[in-house]
Amino acid sequence: MKLYGYWRSSAAYRVRIALNLLGLDCELLSVHLVKNGGEQHLEEYKQKNPHELVPCLIDGDVCLNQSLAIIDYLSAKATNVSLLPADLVKQSLVKAFSYDVACEIHPLNNLRVQQYLVNELKVSDEHKMQWVHDWMHTGFAALEVKLQSHAGKYCFGDEVTLADLCLIPQVYNALRFNVDMAKYPLIMAIYEQCNTHPAFIEAQPENQADAQ
Ligand SMILES: N[C@@H](CCC(=O)N[C@@H](CS)C(=O)NCC(=O)O)C(=O)O
């Protein structure tokens, strides 16, 4: 298998953690999201993912985008490890939490959104940062409340789930943008905990071959 990603892409970071937890081999290929206007826009890559976003997984004839769909696909291959609780209600709660990150927080702060704000709408850097911080705070504040009822060492009790795979890269992004995370003690405790886990450490942006 080949995974097209980028060291700082939080969506690719989710998949890297999954690959490590599931114990699957995969070649990691870099698509530089910034150099020369962004390699995600090159014709060769667009043929793999017309959305011009990473990650994208290639497995033989299978070419798959969307990190959560990729993680589902990978999970089905590694039947000995599960990233979701067996209980249906808990499973749905984990999915909802994961979508809270992947569908509500992440897209609003994606690179192309930030570029559109600055290049097309002529928003100042200061107002762009206000946008980034505001949407992250909106999302994290709600997640912190949710965690009060189910956090253990990880987002859902003491087992790693899909929720942790989504949360940790988003916190990494937030810290990169200097979002004040002190307001979210449960989120930060889980972040610290996950960052002692080998599968998470190996997937960290700074530990990738294309890290700058
Ligand atoms: N929902 C998609 C999001 C993919 C996405 O937005 N990827 C970002 C990096 S985290 C990207 O490729 N951005 C490039 C751009 O905005 O031009 C997923 O989960 O895979």
Side-chain angles (χ1 to χ4, degrees):
M1 292 190 290
K2 290 179 181 171
L3 181 75
Y4 289 85
Y6 180 61
W7 66 294
R8 268 185 166 164
S9 154
S10 56
Y13 188 177
R14 293 173 201 150
V15 179
R16 293 197 300 265
I17 303 168
L19 283 165
N20 296 339
L21 288 167
L22 298 169
L24 296 171
D25 282 334
C26 185
E27 186 183 353
L28 303 181
L29 299 168
S30 180
V31 178
H32 201 298
L33 296 186
V34 187
K35 201 167 65 186
N36 300 327
E39 292 176 351
Q40 69 275 33
H41 306 303
L42 294 178
E43 202 48 49
E44 192 193 340
Y45 184 71
K46 275 162 72 171
Q47 282 174 14
K48 297 180 184 72
N49 185 359
H51 293 283
E52 302 173 42
L53 299 168
V54 295
C56 179
L57 182 85
I58 309 287
D59 184 20
D61 292 341
V62 177
C63 176
L64 194 58
N65 72 312
Q66 286 297 347
S67 59
L68 297 185
I70 295 172
I71 293 171
D72 260 355
Y73 177 83
L74 296 172
S75 298
K77 281 183 171 272
T79 45
N80 54 333
V81 184
S82 181
L83 300 173
L84 292 171
D87 175 80
L88 177 65
V89 174
K90 285 189 187 144
Q91 199 176 106
S92 303
L93 290 170
V94 168
K95 285 184 183 172
F97 189 100
S98 306
Y99 301 164
D100 287 338
V101 175
C103 307
E104 311 298 346
I105 306 179
H106 174 266
L108 288 165
N109 295 312
N110 201 0
L111 175 65
R112 65 185 182 181
V113 171
Q114 293 189 42
Q115 287 173 338
Y116 191 86
L117 287 171
V118 172
N119 299 336
E120 304 299 324
L121 301 183
K122 308 297 175 200
V123 166
S124 66
D125 274 350
E126 187 194 341
H127 282 138
K128 182 192 80 173
M129 285 315 278
Q130 185 182 334
W131 168 284
V132 168
H133 282 221
D134 201 67
W135 290 118
M136 290 223 208
H137 279 305
T138 301
F140 283 131
L143 294 181
E144 183 77 9
V145 172
K146 277 190 160 186
L147 286 172
Q148 286 166 8
S149 53
H150 49 67
K153 272 163 62 177
Y154 300 108
C155 289
F156 286 80
D158 290 338
E159 300 294 331
V160 172
T161 65
L162 182 66
D164 303 291
L165 276 63
C166 291
L167 180 66
I168 277 30
Q170 192 61 51
V171 174
Y172 171 88
N173 262 356
L175 295 173
R176 197 181 138 211
F177 287 105
N178 295 318
V179 174
D180 177 13
M181 294 301 289
K183 296 179 176 179
Y184 313 114
L186 291 174
I187 290 176
M188 288 314 290
I190 293 165
Y191 183 70
E192 302 298 337
Q193 177 66 39
C194 286
N195 282 334
T196 65
H197 191 305
F200 285 81
I201 294 172
E202 203 183 311
Q204 281 167 352
E206 281 68 26
N207 293 335
Q208 304 313 300
D210 58 340
Q212 288 163 340

